[in-house]
Amino acid sequence: MPTPDLSPLPIRRLTLRDLARCADLSENRGWPREEHKWGLLLSAGTGFGIDDPEGGLVAACVVTRYGPGLSAVGMVLVAQRYARKGVGRRLMTYVVEESGGVPLTLYATPNGRPLYEELGFKAIGAAEMVLGHFQPSGETFDILTRTATADDLPALLRLDAEVFGADRTHMITRLPAFADDLWVAQSSDGRIAGYAAAWPNMRTHVVGPLVASDIETAKALVTSLAAGPDRVLRTDIDVRHEEFLSWVKDRGMEPVAANAVMVLGMPELPGDWTRRFAPLTVAAG
């Protein structure tokens, strides 16, 4: 059957009331429903979508803003029935215009990258997704890791702003409720040298964000997170951290995908990539 003309359909703001529709759209495209992640994104960011006259959503995405200098775009999805009909382009054009010149970043799949390039996004790097049962090798680390407490939050927010290069307070303060585990690494002088979370996503636990002063701190944090209940871990590691990426692969994590890191309106991402090992989620940076 011919598909209807979608051009008159408005793009509207999505809310938490749309969570089930967003999850249905994910499932329609062969993605996991990821309702837990959708809930975070719709509460901390701004969702945009097009309603299907026959029910559900034609398309959706979420924009998470970090102060006046950066917004992250994620979960750009178009229902299978409406694929390759210009809907994704229309939605992303709207997002770019709605940003008002605020620089944008996103993680692009190989399928999505050509559209983003046509809209002016430039690839500046890549992240490799790895998945599996992490198998500790028995190595020890000269850094203390422990479960984060409420008292750690001010120091954690300062560290995150320094490393990420923008204020993520509205996202990071949601981590204690969103994640199953939130750990910090503490140096000998008592400073917070890194932190990491593991949050549930269908049959896996995603490790992210992973912020660490050096590779040994990153290793210690991942080893601590993996010491909990038997779980399949997934994370997206900046490919510039070659040694760390090899280390997790040697311990049972298998590569499953690679996404380009892209930006619009700025030459590079702010912050310090050398201490930024993995994003909270590729949908929000």
Side-chain angles (χ1 to χ4, degrees), residues 16 113 123 217:
L16 282 170
R113 180 171 173 173
T217 302

Side-chain angles (χ1 to χ4, degrees), residues 9 20 25 49 72 97 122 128 132 170 174 248 259 272:
L9 298 179
L25 183 58
E97 293 174 350
K122 305 294 183 184
E128 186 169 6
H170 66 301
R174 286 177 163 87
V248 296
N259 295 314
D272 181 5

